[in-house]
Amino acid sequence: MRVVLRTVTAGLLASVALLGFAASFALVSTAGAGELQTEPPPTTEPPPTTEPPTPSPRTTIPPGVAVAGVLVGGMRAAEAAAVVRSRFDRPLVLVAGPRRKLYVAPRELGAKPNVAKAIRRAKSARDGAAIPLDVEVARERVASFVARLGRELDRAPVDARARVRGVDLQVLPGKPGRRLQRLAAIRAIRVALATHARAPIALSYTPLEPRVGKAEVGTAIVILRESKVLRFYARGRLVRTFRVATGASSYPTPLGAFEITTMQRNPWWYPPPSPWASGKTAVPPGPGNPLGTRWMGISAPYVGIHGTPDAASIGYSASHGCVRMRIPEAEWLFERVRVGTPVFIVRR
């Protein structure tokens, strides 16, 4: 009996223990189910962070920026380029004289400004920056232009000259000439293009003096053919008058402006190729020489001024075209003229 009772008692205890375990498991399961159905408490999240916006690229040139002295700050690139090019395209002013100015466009001189490069630099420059404008200047093109300009502006000097009005001699003074200083002009034009300067450029010249001055042509001879008079001028003033013989009607002394081309003391006389001298032979210097002691040949063929041993012919039309003088007077005149002295023969 004891054995059975212990066995029942032990079984009962085991059953109670098993029931307690099951109840505990059920309690845990119920608690877990309640937790899954309950919403979590609200949580406070931090506010979203705001990032600064990315700056947009600049569309205008910074304030105060200038290209080659032209203010382009605040302008767009295309507008600035147009303004810079327009300013560069202004013509150069060349002062050729007191009353003459010449205008030449830079493009005629082959100048090429790099406007695009300058504007790129201006866009990224700091405020108030001064940007240079590079210019390509072809020296050969400028030199060619100056050479053409020189041919137009150069002036050859004018020699002093004498002329006859009526029976009097007039001496016209010479005029100086000029030659454009080409190297100086090339340099000034290239600098103006490279620096964008448009101030007037005064061209400079080298003066050219006349080869013959007034004093040199002031000595002259005027022969009045019909009046048989020779007038000698020195420094433009009448110095002395002589009676002469001129050509006969069949061999008249030629009219016109001539000059002395040859001078001989105690000359030989040679027969000219003319019918009146046919068969004659040369005559050496001496008392019988038809040229006397002095010969001043002029630029008219076979005509000259000379002394004559036939003083009785003075005052008449007696020669074969030459102008005869008394021998002492021919010698006096010979000492005061030279090769190149003007000789004017007029009808009066």
Side-chain angles (χ1 to χ4, degrees):
M1 277 303 284
R2 290 182 180 177
V3 174
V4 173
L5 181 62
R6 289 178 182 175
T7 301
V8 172
T9 303
L12 182 60
L13 290 174
S15 297
V16 171
L18 181 61
L19 290 172
F21 174 78
S24 299
F25 178 79
L27 180 61
V28 171
S29 298
T30 303
E35 290 175 359
L36 289 174
Q37 295 175 359
T38 304
E39 295 181 358
T43 57
T44 303
E45 297 180 358
T49 57
T50 303
E51 297 183 359
T54 303
S56 60
R58 182 186 291 273
T59 59
T60 60
I61 297 173
V65 173
V67 173
V70 181
L71 188 63
V72 294
M75 297 182 185
R76 294 181 178 273
E79 179 186 4
V83 170
V84 171
R85 185 172 294 279
S86 175
R87 182 66 64 89
F88 180 82
D89 286 342
R90 290 176 301 162
L92 275 68
V93 181
L94 307 179
V95 181
R99 299 180 180 178
R100 186 173 186 187
K101 291 182 179 179
L102 306 173
Y103 299 86
V104 56
R107 63 178 177 274
E108 295 181 28
L109 302 170
K112 298 178 180 179
N114 196 337
V115 177
K117 176 183 176 182
I119 298 303
R120 285 196 303 269
R121 295 181 61 184
K123 290 174 62 178
S124 59
R126 58 179 175 79
D127 293 0
I131 307 300
L133 175 62
D134 297 336
V135 181
E136 179 184 346
V137 182
R139 188 182 189 283
E140 295 77 11
R141 187 84 170 264
V142 176
S144 177
F145 168 79
V146 171
R148 295 194 305 271
L149 188 63
R151 289 191 291 271
E152 179 183 347
L153 298 178
D154 287 351
R155 296 287 182 270
V158 177
D159 291 340
R161 61 189 181 91
R163 67 180 182 182
V164 175
R165 284 292 180 267
V167 297
D168 292 322
L169 182 76
Q170 292 182 343
V171 178
L172 303 179
K175 296 181 180 179
R178 68 183 187 185
R179 177 177 173 79
L180 176 67
Q181 294 182 0
R182 285 154 170 77
L183 290 180
I186 292 172
R187 182 166 52 251
I189 290 173
R190 293 185 67 196
V191 168
L193 292 173
T195 61
H196 326 295
R198 294 298 182 267
I201 299 173
L203 301 176
S204 53
Y205 301 89
T206 299
L208 304 176
E209 295 299 326
R211 293 176 300 173
V212 179
K214 183 176 180 179
E216 296 176 273
V217 299
T219 299
I221 294 171
V222 178
I223 298 169
L224 312 182
R225 188 178 69 178
E226 303 303 323
S227 301
K228 312 297 188 289
V229 171
L230 184 150
R231 297 160 68 94
F232 173 70
Y233 291 81
R235 296 185 178 276
R237 296 184 177 183
L238 180 62
V239 175
R240 192 170 174 182
T241 300
F242 304 94
R243 293 288 292 171
V244 296
T246 57
S249 58
S250 54
Y251 297 98
T253 301
L255 302 175
F258 308 97
E259 63 180 29
I260 294 177
T261 57
T262 179
M263 298 178 65
Q264 298 176 31
R265 296 174 182 270
N266 301 314
W268 280 68
W269 177 83
Y270 295 96
S274 181
W276 69 266
S278 177
K280 296 182 180 294
T281 59
V283 178
N289 189 298
L291 303 181
T293 60
R294 301 291 186 271
W295 166 257
M296 292 160 276
I298 66 173
S299 49
Y302 310 109
V303 175
I305 303 168
H306 61 84
T308 177
D310 183 11
S313 65
I314 299 299
Y316 295 94
S317 300
S319 73
H320 294 92
C322 288
V323 176
R324 298 178 181 177
M325 301 181 71
R326 293 181 174 87
I327 289 177
E329 294 175 347
E331 292 176 348
W332 183 93
L333 182 64
F334 187 92
E335 298 301 322
R336 289 162 176 79
V337 297
R338 59 177 180 81
V339 171
T341 296
V343 177
F344 300 93
I345 304 176
V346 298
R347 186 181 303 275
R348 297 180 63 175

